[in-house]
Amino acid sequence: MRAVADDAFASGGGLINGHHPTWLNRVMRSSPRNSAVVGALWSATPSLLVLAGAVGFLAIGTWDRALFASVPGTGSPLLLAGLIAVQGVLLGPRRLRPLPVFLAVVGIDLAILGTTAGELGIGALAVGIASYRVVRHLPRRSALIALVVGAAATTTVGGVAMLLGSREAPLVLTATLLLRILLLYVLPAGIADYVLGRERLTDALREQARMAEQRQVERARGELRAERTALARELHDIAGHHLSGIIVSAQAATTLTRSDPERARSMMQGIQDDARTTLVDLRRTVGLLRSDDDESNGGPDRPSPTPDLAGIATLVDAARERGQVVDFRTTGAPRSLGPLTEAAAYRMVQESLANAARHARGARSDVSIRFDDGEVAIVVANAPTRSAPDAIAQPAPAPPGYGLSGMAERAELVGATLKTGPTSDGGWRNELTIRGAVRGVDRDWEAS
């Protein structure tokens, strides 16, 4: 609000709805000292009201003695005003316990009623305030007992005093007693109970908001853990793909060192490039695990974009540069499937080509993407291994990894179907089918 006001002042002649912005800011802000003063005044308001009533009663009694003398049994106005002032003083300190204050205030009111034939109710305000505080601050059972005792005492003392000294009709006296009980005890108790209910509701809403915030934090932490798990899987895929290619190329270069030195040097250069690419990819992926402060500093190792279908052609080119024979074709109209779905398809092709280079050295591979109206199919198949004329040595057998299981987990994550297995001619075929991938529909939203 302050920024908006300052901007408006700078551009609009210095006025906002006829007021200066600094005046608006001064009104909107409240210092802790001002809040403490306001709170103290609000707490002292009941006591100040009762004291003001005592001063007003003393002024009326001194100014109009005839009116004061019409009340039967009244003594000195100064004495009665002093009793009311004592009530106000008792209501002042909040540190005093509500029950003793209530009993003292009611006792003073009974003394006033007993000396004025039950007709002078100048102590009623203090009794009502004390009744409110009893209900607000005492347990329900204790407050109810205190109110019943106070009402009974007021009815007894006031009723006897009016019967002995008042000249009013019995019906008027009965109505006066009932109205007094209603105003002194029932109405303050009802108001206090309503305020308590509102406070409980506010506390419940605050607790509900706190729990909702806690659930949101837990959900965010769960999402963060899931993202870190996905990043760990990305690290495995990147390392597995690139390092497999490096190992295969290194073994081939070792074999060709004597028979074809030029080709061996070319393959060694490719190994260096693959190693650098692997390092960059690993740095970018690990960079996603850094905090926001680290990322905000900027740097050369910024996270790379999410793999997508368009990057499959680059995968094929990289495999060809490593010496693999790969055919690639796309049929149908390409369309976006969502980042998670396209990343799953990209990783399937990447892992399939790496497996072909590792387990079917020299075999031809075929990569195809078919876009139909209701589905998209990505197929990677390789022919059986055939011995080459130059008899390049086969790579050493690698330990079993998590390539196929990783493909299956990604396919399940995006709601796709993965089929893997040997072909009839002894090769291998991986097929990822993404159903429901119609134009304009984001598969990631469906998977979530």
Side-chain angles (χ1 to χ4, degrees):
M1 179 177 292
R2 183 175 183 180
V4 174
D6 292 341
D7 292 342
F9 174 70
S11 61
L15 293 176
I16 301 178
N17 295 332
H19 298 290
H20 197 280
T22 56
W23 175 88
L24 176 64
N25 293 332
R26 185 166 59 250
V27 172
M28 294 300 293
R29 292 193 300 265
S30 60
S31 64
R33 182 178 179 181
N34 293 337
S35 299
V37 172
V38 172
L41 290 177
W42 178 255
S43 300
T45 298
S47 178
L48 294 177
L49 289 176
V50 176
L51 292 175
V55 174
F57 175 79
L58 181 61
I60 293 175
T62 304
W63 176 66
D64 193 351
R65 294 185 176 273
L67 177 62
F68 185 76
S70 64
V71 180
T74 53
S76 170
L78 182 61
L79 176 62
L80 295 177
L83 292 176
I84 302 172
V86 172
Q87 286 183 322
V89 172
L90 290 174
L91 293 174
R94 299 295 295 270
R95 62 179 179 273
L96 296 180
R97 295 182 178 180
L99 185 57
V101 172
F102 172 78
L103 296 177
V105 169
V106 171
I108 294 174
D109 183 60
L110 294 179
I112 295 175
L113 291 177
T115 57
T116 59
E119 293 187 6
L120 192 60
I122 55 176
L125 177 60
V127 175
I129 295 173
S131 300
Y132 174 86
R133 289 184 176 178
V134 162
V135 177
R136 286 275 282 114
H137 300 292
L138 290 183
R140 196 175 188 87
R141 179 181 177 85
S142 301
L144 181 60
I145 293 175
L147 292 178
V148 171
V149 172
T154 300
T155 302
T156 302
V157 174
V160 171
M162 284 189 293
L163 286 176
L164 296 178
S166 178
R167 296 181 294 271
E168 299 292 340
L171 183 60
V172 175
L173 298 180
T174 303
T176 301
L177 282 175
L178 293 177
L179 183 61
R180 182 169 291 162
I181 298 301
L182 177 65
L183 294 178
L184 268 63
Y185 302 102
V186 178
L187 183 60
I191 296 175
D193 191 65
Y194 172 78
V195 173
L196 282 175
R198 295 292 298 180
E199 288 182 352
R200 295 190 187 101
L201 178 60
T202 302
D203 292 340
L205 293 176
R206 188 180 293 111
E207 179 66 17
Q208 183 179 2
R210 187 190 65 80
M211 294 179 64
E213 182 178 359
Q214 185 177 1
R215 287 194 298 269
Q216 185 176 1
V217 171
E218 292 296 330
R219 184 166 54 250
R221 289 176 179 173
E223 293 175 355
L224 179 60
R225 287 192 293 268
E227 290 178 359
R228 290 182 179 272
T229 301
L231 289 175
R233 187 176 298 163
E234 287 290 315
L235 287 173
H236 166 266
D237 291 340
I238 291 173
H241 169 71
H242 290 292
L243 293 180
S244 296
I246 291 173
I247 292 172
V248 171
S249 299
Q251 291 174 339
T254 302
T255 304
L256 294 173
T257 301
R258 295 181 180 178
S259 61
D260 192 350
E262 186 65 28
R263 186 178 176 188
R265 283 193 296 270
S266 176
M267 295 188 72
M268 293 299 294
Q269 183 63 40
I271 291 174
Q272 294 179 18
D273 295 339
D274 286 344
R276 292 190 184 95
T277 303
T278 302
L279 184 59
V280 171
D281 288 345
L282 289 176
R283 283 178 176 174
R284 288 173 175 173
T285 306
V286 173
L288 294 174
L289 297 173
R290 296 178 180 173
S291 63
D292 294 338
D293 294 338
D294 294 337
E295 292 179 359
S296 63
N297 294 333
D301 299 331
R302 297 187 61 83
S304 59
T306 304
D308 53 12
L309 293 180
I312 293 179
T314 305
L315 282 179
V316 173
D317 293 338
R320 290 169 178 169
E321 292 177 0
R322 289 193 299 268
Q324 290 181 257
V325 181
V326 184
D327 294 332
F328 176 62
R329 65 182 181 277
T330 300
T331 59
R335 55 184 176 275
S336 175
L337 304 179
L340 288 180
T341 304
E342 295 194 10
Y346 179 93
R347 294 304 182 195
M348 190 276 285
V349 175
Q350 185 182 51
E351 188 70 26
S352 299
L353 292 176
N355 289 341
R358 182 186 304 171
H359 303 294
R361 177 60 185 239
R364 178 181 295 274
S365 299
D366 182 81
V367 179
S368 64
I369 304 176
R370 186 181 74 253
F371 292 92
D372 293 335
D373 291 338
E375 66 180 23
V376 175
I378 299 97
V379 179
V380 180
N382 61 268
T385 305
R386 297 176 182 177
S387 57
D390 50 13
I392 297 177
Q394 294 294 327
Y402 300 96
L404 294 179
S405 62
M407 293 183 201
E409 290 175 1
R410 279 193 171 85
E412 183 180 0
L413 178 65
V414 299
T417 302
L418 177 68
K419 295 180 181 180
T420 62
T423 59
S424 58
D425 59 356
W428 191 268
R429 186 175 190 271
N430 296 329
E431 179 179 0
L432 180 69
T433 303
I434 306 168
R435 293 185 174 84
V438 296
R439 186 180 302 276
V441 176
D442 193 334
R443 287 286 306 172
D444 292 343
W445 287 102
E446 295 178 356
S448 61

Short mmCIF file of all heavy atoms in Angstrom, two decimals, residues 358-420:
data_model
loop_
_atom_site.label_atom_id
_atom_site.label_comp_id
_atom_site.label_asym_id
_atom_site.label_seq_id
_atom_site.Cartn_x
_atom_site.Cartn_y
_atom_site.Cartn_z
N ARG A 358 25.64 -51.71 -26.24
CA ARG A 358 26.34 -52.55 -25.28
C ARG A 358 26.19 -54.03 -25.59
O ARG A 358 27.16 -54.79 -25.50
CB ARG A 358 25.80 -52.25 -23.87
CG ARG A 358 26.49 -53.04 -22.76
CD ARG A 358 25.79 -52.79 -21.44
NE ARG A 358 25.76 -51.37 -21.11
CZ ARG A 358 25.05 -50.86 -20.10
NH1 ARG A 358 24.30 -51.66 -19.38
NH2 ARG A 358 25.08 -49.57 -19.87
N HIS A 359 24.98 -54.47 -25.94
CA HIS A 359 24.70 -55.90 -26.06
C HIS A 359 24.58 -56.39 -27.51
O HIS A 359 24.58 -57.60 -27.73
CB HIS A 359 23.40 -56.24 -25.32
CG HIS A 359 23.42 -55.84 -23.87
ND1 HIS A 359 24.25 -56.44 -22.96
CD2 HIS A 359 22.72 -54.89 -23.19
CE1 HIS A 359 24.05 -55.89 -21.75
NE2 HIS A 359 23.12 -54.94 -21.89
N ALA A 360 24.44 -55.48 -28.47
CA ALA A 360 24.29 -55.90 -29.87
C ALA A 360 25.21 -55.05 -30.73
O ALA A 360 24.78 -54.35 -31.65
CB ALA A 360 22.84 -55.77 -30.32
N ARG A 361 26.50 -55.16 -30.43
CA ARG A 361 27.48 -54.34 -31.14
C ARG A 361 27.48 -54.67 -32.63
O ARG A 361 27.54 -55.82 -33.04
CB ARG A 361 28.88 -54.61 -30.54
CG ARG A 361 30.03 -53.89 -31.21
CD ARG A 361 29.82 -52.40 -31.11
NE ARG A 361 30.84 -51.67 -31.83
CZ ARG A 361 31.65 -50.79 -31.27
NH1 ARG A 361 31.57 -50.58 -29.98
NH2 ARG A 361 32.53 -50.14 -32.00
N GLY A 362 27.40 -53.62 -33.47
CA GLY A 362 27.41 -53.79 -34.91
C GLY A 362 26.06 -54.06 -35.52
O GLY A 362 25.92 -54.05 -36.75
N ALA A 363 25.02 -54.31 -34.70
CA ALA A 363 23.70 -54.60 -35.24
C ALA A 363 22.99 -53.32 -35.64
O ALA A 363 23.18 -52.26 -35.02
CB ALA A 363 22.87 -55.38 -34.23
N ARG A 364 22.17 -53.41 -36.67
CA ARG A 364 21.40 -52.25 -37.11
C ARG A 364 20.24 -52.01 -36.15
O ARG A 364 19.56 -52.95 -35.73
CB ARG A 364 20.89 -52.49 -38.53
CG ARG A 364 20.02 -51.33 -39.06
CD ARG A 364 19.53 -51.64 -40.46
NE ARG A 364 20.65 -51.70 -41.40
CZ ARG A 364 21.18 -50.64 -42.01
NH1 ARG A 364 20.67 -49.43 -41.79
NH2 ARG A 364 22.18 -50.78 -42.84
N SER A 365 20.01 -50.75 -35.82
CA SER A 365 18.89 -50.35 -34.96
C SER A 365 17.91 -49.51 -35.76
O SER A 365 18.30 -48.81 -36.70
CB SER A 365 19.38 -49.57 -33.74
OG SER A 365 20.26 -50.34 -32.96
N ASP A 366 16.66 -49.59 -35.35
CA ASP A 366 15.60 -48.85 -36.04
C ASP A 366 14.79 -48.10 -34.99
O ASP A 366 14.27 -48.71 -34.03
CB ASP A 366 14.71 -49.80 -36.83
CG ASP A 366 13.63 -49.05 -37.59
OD1 ASP A 366 13.91 -48.52 -38.68
OD2 ASP A 366 12.49 -49.00 -37.07
N VAL A 367 14.69 -46.79 -35.15
CA VAL A 367 13.91 -45.94 -34.23
C VAL A 367 12.77 -45.31 -35.04
O VAL A 367 13.02 -44.68 -36.07
CB VAL A 367 14.78 -44.84 -33.59
CG1 VAL A 367 13.94 -43.96 -32.67
CG2 VAL A 367 15.95 -45.45 -32.84
N SER A 368 11.56 -45.49 -34.55
CA SER A 368 10.40 -44.93 -35.27
C SER A 368 9.44 -44.31 -34.26
O SER A 368 9.26 -44.80 -33.15
CB SER A 368 9.68 -46.02 -36.06
OG SER A 368 9.14 -47.00 -35.20
N ILE A 369 8.83 -43.19 -34.69
CA ILE A 369 7.79 -42.50 -33.90
C ILE A 369 6.57 -42.38 -34.80
O ILE A 369 6.65 -41.81 -35.90
CB ILE A 369 8.25 -41.11 -33.44
CG1 ILE A 369 9.57 -41.21 -32.67
CG2 ILE A 369 7.18 -40.46 -32.59
CD1 ILE A 369 10.13 -39.87 -32.25
N ARG A 370 5.45 -42.92 -34.33
CA ARG A 370 4.23 -42.90 -35.12
C ARG A 370 3.15 -42.13 -34.36
O ARG A 370 2.77 -42.48 -33.25
CB ARG A 370 3.75 -44.33 -35.40
CG ARG A 370 2.55 -44.39 -36.36
CD ARG A 370 2.06 -45.82 -36.60
NE ARG A 370 1.34 -46.35 -35.45
CZ ARG A 370 1.79 -47.27 -34.62
NH1 ARG A 370 3.03 -47.76 -34.78
NH2 ARG A 370 1.08 -47.70 -33.60
N PHE A 371 2.68 -41.05 -34.98
CA PHE A 371 1.61 -40.24 -34.40
C PHE A 371 0.29 -40.64 -35.05
O PHE A 371 0.07 -40.37 -36.24
CB PHE A 371 1.88 -38.74 -34.63
CG PHE A 371 3.06 -38.21 -33.87
CD1 PHE A 371 4.33 -38.19 -34.46
CD2 PHE A 371 2.93 -37.73 -32.58
CE1 PHE A 371 5.43 -37.69 -33.79
CE2 PHE A 371 4.03 -37.23 -31.90
CZ PHE A 371 5.28 -37.21 -32.50
N ASP A 372 -0.59 -41.29 -34.31
CA ASP A 372 -1.93 -41.61 -34.79
C ASP A 372 -2.93 -40.68 -34.11
O ASP A 372 -2.59 -39.87 -33.23
CB ASP A 372 -2.27 -43.07 -34.49
CG ASP A 372 -1.41 -44.03 -35.30
OD1 ASP A 372 -0.93 -43.62 -36.38
OD2 ASP A 372 -1.20 -45.17 -34.84
N ASP A 373 -4.20 -40.82 -34.48
CA ASP A 373 -5.23 -39.96 -33.90
C ASP A 373 -5.41 -40.21 -32.41
O ASP A 373 -5.60 -39.28 -31.63
CB ASP A 373 -6.56 -40.17 -34.62
CG ASP A 373 -6.52 -39.65 -36.05
OD1 ASP A 373 -5.66 -38.78 -36.32
OD2 ASP A 373 -7.32 -40.12 -36.88
N GLY A 374 -5.35 -41.47 -32.00
CA GLY A 374 -5.63 -41.79 -30.60
C GLY A 374 -4.43 -42.19 -29.79
O GLY A 374 -4.56 -42.41 -28.58
N GLU A 375 -3.26 -42.32 -30.38
CA GLU A 375 -2.10 -42.76 -29.64
C GLU A 375 -0.82 -42.36 -30.36
O GLU A 375 -0.84 -41.97 -31.54
CB GLU A 375 -2.13 -44.28 -29.44
CG GLU A 375 -2.00 -45.06 -30.74
CD GLU A 375 -2.03 -46.57 -30.52
OE1 GLU A 375 -2.57 -46.99 -29.49
OE2 GLU A 375 -1.53 -47.31 -31.39
N VAL A 376 0.26 -42.48 -29.61
CA VAL A 376 1.60 -42.26 -30.16
C VAL A 376 2.44 -43.47 -29.77
O VAL A 376 2.46 -43.87 -28.60
CB VAL A 376 2.23 -40.97 -29.61
CG1 VAL A 376 3.66 -40.83 -30.11
CG2 VAL A 376 1.41 -39.75 -30.01
N ALA A 377 3.12 -44.05 -30.73
CA ALA A 377 3.94 -45.24 -30.50
C ALA A 377 5.39 -44.92 -30.83
O ALA A 377 5.69 -44.39 -31.91
CB ALA A 377 3.45 -46.41 -31.33
N ILE A 378 6.28 -45.22 -29.89
CA ILE A 378 7.72 -45.05 -30.09
C ILE A 378 8.35 -46.44 -30.02
O ILE A 378 8.20 -47.14 -29.00
CB ILE A 378 8.35 -44.13 -29.03
CG1 ILE A 378 7.72 -42.73 -29.11
CG2 ILE A 378 9.86 -44.02 -29.22
CD1 ILE A 378 6.60 -42.50 -28.14
N VAL A 379 9.03 -46.86 -31.09
CA VAL A 379 9.58 -48.20 -31.18
C VAL A 379 11.08 -48.10 -31.45
O VAL A 379 11.52 -47.33 -32.31
CB VAL A 379 8.90 -49.01 -32.31
CG1 VAL A 379 9.51 -50.41 -32.41
CG2 VAL A 379 7.39 -49.09 -32.07
N VAL A 380 11.84 -48.88 -30.68
CA VAL A 380 13.28 -49.02 -30.90
C VAL A 380 13.57 -50.52 -31.01
O VAL A 380 13.32 -51.26 -30.06
CB VAL A 380 14.11 -48.39 -29.77
CG1 VAL A 380 15.60 -48.55 -30.06
CG2 VAL A 380 13.75 -46.92 -29.60
N ALA A 381 14.06 -50.93 -32.16
CA ALA A 381 14.34 -52.35 -32.39
C ALA A 381 15.73 -52.48 -32.99
O ALA A 381 16.16 -51.63 -33.77
CB ALA A 381 13.30 -52.97 -33.32
N ASN A 382 16.43 -53.55 -32.60
CA ASN A 382 17.74 -53.81 -33.20
C ASN A 382 17.79 -55.25 -33.71
O ASN A 382 17.18 -56.17 -33.13
CB ASN A 382 18.86 -53.57 -32.20
CG ASN A 382 18.79 -54.46 -30.98
OD1 ASN A 382 18.20 -54.08 -29.97
ND2 ASN A 382 19.40 -55.65 -31.04
N ALA A 383 18.49 -55.40 -34.80
CA ALA A 383 18.66 -56.73 -35.40
C ALA A 383 19.61 -57.56 -34.55
O ALA A 383 20.32 -57.02 -33.69
CB ALA A 383 19.18 -56.58 -36.83
N PRO A 384 19.67 -58.87 -34.76
CA PRO A 384 20.62 -59.70 -34.02
C PRO A 384 22.05 -59.33 -34.36
O PRO A 384 22.36 -58.78 -35.41
CB PRO A 384 20.26 -61.12 -34.46
CG PRO A 384 19.57 -60.95 -35.76
CD PRO A 384 18.82 -59.67 -35.67
N THR A 385 22.95 -59.63 -33.45
CA THR A 385 24.36 -59.31 -33.63
C THR A 385 24.97 -60.15 -34.76
O THR A 385 24.73 -61.36 -34.84
CB THR A 385 25.13 -59.59 -32.33
OG1 THR A 385 24.50 -58.87 -31.27
CG2 THR A 385 26.58 -59.17 -32.45
N ARG A 386 25.72 -59.48 -35.62
CA ARG A 386 26.41 -60.18 -36.71
C ARG A 386 27.90 -59.84 -36.63
O ARG A 386 28.27 -58.71 -36.37
CB ARG A 386 25.85 -59.76 -38.07
CG ARG A 386 24.38 -60.13 -38.24
CD ARG A 386 23.85 -59.60 -39.55
NE ARG A 386 22.43 -59.91 -39.71
CZ ARG A 386 21.70 -59.50 -40.75
NH1 ARG A 386 22.27 -58.75 -41.70
NH2 ARG A 386 20.42 -59.82 -40.83
N SER A 387 28.72 -60.82 -36.93
CA SER A 387 30.17 -60.60 -36.87
C SER A 387 30.59 -59.71 -38.03
O SER A 387 30.25 -59.95 -39.18
CB SER A 387 30.92 -61.93 -36.94
OG SER A 387 30.56 -62.64 -38.11
N ALA A 388 31.35 -58.70 -37.74
CA ALA A 388 31.81 -57.75 -38.76
C ALA A 388 33.10 -58.25 -39.37
O ALA A 388 33.85 -59.01 -38.77
CB ALA A 388 32.01 -56.37 -38.15
N PRO A 389 33.44 -57.86 -40.63
CA PRO A 389 34.65 -58.32 -41.29
C PRO A 389 35.91 -57.94 -40.53
O PRO A 389 36.86 -58.69 -40.48
CB PRO A 389 34.60 -57.65 -42.66
CG PRO A 389 33.16 -57.35 -42.88
CD PRO A 389 32.58 -57.07 -41.55
N ASP A 390 35.93 -56.72 -39.93
CA ASP A 390 37.14 -56.32 -39.23
C ASP A 390 37.20 -56.87 -37.81
O ASP A 390 38.16 -56.62 -37.10
CB ASP A 390 37.26 -54.79 -39.20
CG ASP A 390 35.99 -54.14 -38.71
OD1 ASP A 390 35.10 -54.82 -38.16
OD2 ASP A 390 35.90 -52.92 -38.88
N ALA A 391 36.15 -57.60 -37.39
CA ALA A 391 36.15 -58.33 -36.12
C ALA A 391 36.56 -57.46 -34.96
O ALA A 391 37.55 -57.68 -34.29
CB ALA A 391 37.07 -59.54 -36.21
N ILE A 392 35.80 -56.42 -34.73
CA ILE A 392 36.03 -55.57 -33.56
C ILE A 392 35.67 -56.36 -32.31
O ILE A 392 34.65 -57.03 -32.26
CB ILE A 392 35.21 -54.28 -33.65
CG1 ILE A 392 35.66 -53.47 -34.87
CG2 ILE A 392 35.32 -53.46 -32.38
CD1 ILE A 392 34.86 -52.22 -35.08
N ALA A 393 36.50 -56.27 -31.30
CA ALA A 393 36.28 -57.07 -30.10
C ALA A 393 34.98 -56.67 -29.43
O ALA A 393 34.60 -55.49 -29.37
CB ALA A 393 37.45 -56.87 -29.13
N GLN A 394 34.27 -57.65 -28.88
CA GLN A 394 33.03 -57.41 -28.16
C GLN A 394 33.35 -56.82 -26.79
O GLN A 394 34.37 -57.15 -26.19
CB GLN A 394 32.26 -58.73 -27.98
CG GLN A 394 31.77 -59.33 -29.28
CD GLN A 394 30.71 -58.47 -29.93
OE1 GLN A 394 29.93 -57.83 -29.23
NE2 GLN A 394 30.70 -58.43 -31.25
N PRO A 395 32.52 -55.97 -26.29
CA PRO A 395 32.76 -55.38 -24.98
C PRO A 395 32.62 -56.43 -23.89
O PRO A 395 31.93 -57.42 -24.05
CB PRO A 395 31.70 -54.29 -24.87
CG PRO A 395 30.61 -54.74 -25.76
CD PRO A 395 31.28 -55.44 -26.89
N ALA A 396 33.28 -56.15 -22.78
CA ALA A 396 33.15 -57.05 -21.64
C ALA A 396 31.72 -57.03 -21.12
O ALA A 396 31.05 -56.00 -21.15
CB ALA A 396 34.12 -56.63 -20.54
N PRO A 397 31.22 -58.17 -20.66
CA PRO A 397 29.84 -58.22 -20.17
C PRO A 397 29.64 -57.28 -19.00
O PRO A 397 30.45 -57.26 -18.06
CB PRO A 397 29.67 -59.69 -19.76
CG PRO A 397 31.06 -60.19 -19.54
CD PRO A 397 31.92 -59.47 -20.50
N ALA A 398 28.57 -56.50 -19.08
CA ALA A 398 28.29 -55.51 -18.03
C ALA A 398 27.33 -56.11 -17.01
O ALA A 398 26.52 -56.97 -17.34
CB ALA A 398 27.66 -54.26 -18.65
N PRO A 399 27.42 -55.69 -15.78
CA PRO A 399 26.49 -56.18 -14.77
C PRO A 399 25.08 -55.72 -15.08
O PRO A 399 24.87 -54.69 -15.72
CB PRO A 399 27.01 -55.54 -13.47
CG PRO A 399 27.76 -54.33 -13.92
CD PRO A 399 28.35 -54.68 -15.25
N PRO A 400 24.06 -56.48 -14.66
CA PRO A 400 22.68 -56.09 -14.95
C PRO A 400 22.34 -54.77 -14.29
O PRO A 400 22.70 -54.54 -13.13
CB PRO A 400 21.87 -57.25 -14.35
CG PRO A 400 22.77 -57.87 -13.34
CD PRO A 400 24.15 -57.71 -13.86
N GLY A 401 21.66 -53.90 -15.02
CA GLY A 401 21.30 -52.58 -14.49
C GLY A 401 19.81 -52.45 -14.32
O GLY A 401 19.08 -53.42 -14.18
N TYR A 402 19.36 -51.20 -14.31
CA TYR A 402 17.95 -50.90 -14.07
C TYR A 402 17.31 -50.21 -15.27
O TYR A 402 16.37 -49.46 -15.12
CB TYR A 402 17.83 -50.00 -12.83
CG TYR A 402 18.41 -50.63 -11.58
CD1 TYR A 402 19.71 -50.34 -11.18
CD2 TYR A 402 17.65 -51.51 -10.82
CE1 TYR A 402 20.24 -50.92 -10.04
CE2 TYR A 402 18.17 -52.09 -9.67
CZ TYR A 402 19.47 -51.80 -9.29
OH TYR A 402 19.99 -52.37 -8.17
N GLY A 403 17.87 -50.47 -16.48
CA GLY A 403 17.35 -49.80 -17.66
C GLY A 403 15.91 -50.12 -17.94
O GLY A 403 15.07 -49.23 -18.06
N LEU A 404 15.58 -51.42 -18.05
CA LEU A 404 14.21 -51.81 -18.37
C LEU A 404 13.24 -51.44 -17.25
O LEU A 404 12.11 -51.00 -17.51
CB LEU A 404 14.15 -53.32 -18.65
CG LEU A 404 14.90 -53.79 -19.91
CD1 LEU A 404 14.78 -55.29 -20.07
CD2 LEU A 404 14.36 -53.07 -21.15
N SER A 405 13.67 -51.64 -16.00
CA SER A 405 12.77 -51.28 -14.90
C SER A 405 12.54 -49.77 -14.87
O SER A 405 11.44 -49.31 -14.56
CB SER A 405 13.37 -51.76 -13.57
OG SER A 405 14.61 -51.13 -13.32
N GLY A 406 13.59 -48.98 -15.18
CA GLY A 406 13.39 -47.54 -15.25
C GLY A 406 12.42 -47.13 -16.35
O GLY A 406 11.59 -46.25 -16.17
N MET A 407 12.52 -47.82 -17.50
CA MET A 407 11.54 -47.56 -18.58
C MET A 407 10.13 -47.85 -18.10
O MET A 407 9.18 -47.08 -18.35
CB MET A 407 11.86 -48.42 -19.79
CG MET A 407 13.15 -48.11 -20.51
SD MET A 407 13.28 -49.18 -21.97
CE MET A 407 15.04 -49.11 -22.26
N ALA A 408 9.95 -49.01 -17.43
CA ALA A 408 8.62 -49.40 -16.98
C ALA A 408 8.06 -48.42 -15.96
O ALA A 408 6.87 -48.07 -15.99
CB ALA A 408 8.67 -50.82 -16.40
N GLU A 409 8.90 -47.95 -15.04
CA GLU A 409 8.44 -46.99 -14.04
C GLU A 409 8.02 -45.69 -14.69
O GLU A 409 7.00 -45.09 -14.31
CB GLU A 409 9.56 -46.75 -13.03
CG GLU A 409 9.83 -47.95 -12.13
CD GLU A 409 11.01 -47.71 -11.21
OE1 GLU A 409 11.59 -46.60 -11.28
OE2 GLU A 409 11.34 -48.61 -10.42
N ARG A 410 8.79 -45.22 -15.67
CA ARG A 410 8.40 -43.98 -16.34
C ARG A 410 7.11 -44.15 -17.12
O ARG A 410 6.26 -43.26 -17.15
CB ARG A 410 9.54 -43.54 -17.28
CG ARG A 410 10.66 -42.81 -16.58
CD ARG A 410 11.56 -42.15 -17.62
NE ARG A 410 12.50 -41.26 -16.96
CZ ARG A 410 13.65 -41.64 -16.45
NH1 ARG A 410 14.02 -42.91 -16.54
NH2 ARG A 410 14.46 -40.77 -15.85
N ALA A 411 6.97 -45.29 -17.79
CA ALA A 411 5.74 -45.54 -18.56
C ALA A 411 4.54 -45.56 -17.63
O ALA A 411 3.48 -44.98 -17.94
CB ALA A 411 5.86 -46.86 -19.32
N GLU A 412 4.67 -46.19 -16.47
CA GLU A 412 3.55 -46.24 -15.52
C GLU A 412 3.25 -44.86 -14.97
O GLU A 412 2.09 -44.51 -14.73
CB GLU A 412 3.91 -47.19 -14.38
CG GLU A 412 2.79 -47.36 -13.37
CD GLU A 412 3.17 -48.32 -12.25
OE1 GLU A 412 4.31 -48.85 -12.29
OE2 GLU A 412 2.33 -48.54 -11.35
N LEU A 413 4.29 -44.04 -14.79
CA LEU A 413 4.09 -42.70 -14.26
C LEU A 413 3.22 -41.84 -15.17
O LEU A 413 2.38 -41.07 -14.70
CB LEU A 413 5.46 -42.03 -14.05
CG LEU A 413 5.45 -40.57 -13.56
CD1 LEU A 413 4.84 -40.50 -12.16
CD2 LEU A 413 6.86 -39.99 -13.56
N VAL A 414 3.39 -41.98 -16.48
CA VAL A 414 2.62 -41.15 -17.42
C VAL A 414 1.43 -41.89 -18.01
O VAL A 414 0.78 -41.38 -18.93
CB VAL A 414 3.55 -40.65 -18.56
CG1 VAL A 414 4.66 -39.80 -18.00
CG2 VAL A 414 4.12 -41.82 -19.36
N GLY A 415 1.13 -43.11 -17.52
CA GLY A 415 -0.02 -43.85 -18.02
C GLY A 415 0.18 -44.48 -19.38
O GLY A 415 -0.80 -44.72 -20.10
N ALA A 416 1.41 -44.77 -19.77
CA ALA A 416 1.69 -45.39 -21.06
C ALA A 416 1.91 -46.90 -20.88
O ALA A 416 1.95 -47.42 -19.76
CB ALA A 416 2.92 -44.75 -21.70
N THR A 417 2.04 -47.60 -22.00
CA THR A 417 2.26 -49.05 -22.01
C THR A 417 3.62 -49.34 -22.63
O THR A 417 3.92 -48.84 -23.72
CB THR A 417 1.16 -49.76 -22.80
OG1 THR A 417 -0.11 -49.44 -22.22
CG2 THR A 417 1.36 -51.27 -22.76
N LEU A 418 4.41 -50.15 -21.94
CA LEU A 418 5.74 -50.51 -22.42
C LEU A 418 5.78 -52.01 -22.68
O LEU A 418 5.42 -52.81 -21.83
CB LEU A 418 6.81 -50.13 -21.41
CG LEU A 418 8.25 -50.51 -21.78
CD1 LEU A 418 8.72 -49.69 -22.97
CD2 LEU A 418 9.19 -50.35 -20.59
N LYS A 419 6.22 -52.37 -23.89
CA LYS A 419 6.40 -53.78 -24.25
C LYS A 419 7.86 -53.98 -24.65
O LYS A 419 8.38 -53.26 -25.51
CB LYS A 419 5.49 -54.17 -25.41
CG LYS A 419 4.00 -54.11 -25.07
CD LYS A 419 3.16 -54.53 -26.28
CE LYS A 419 1.67 -54.45 -25.97
NZ LYS A 419 0.85 -54.84 -27.15
N THR A 420 8.52 -54.93 -24.02
CA THR A 420 9.91 -55.23 -24.33
C THR A 420 10.06 -56.74 -24.49
O THR A 420 9.34 -57.52 -23.86
CB THR A 420 10.84 -54.75 -23.20
OG1 THR A 420 10.51 -55.46 -22.00
CG2 THR A 420 10.70 -53.26 -22.96
#
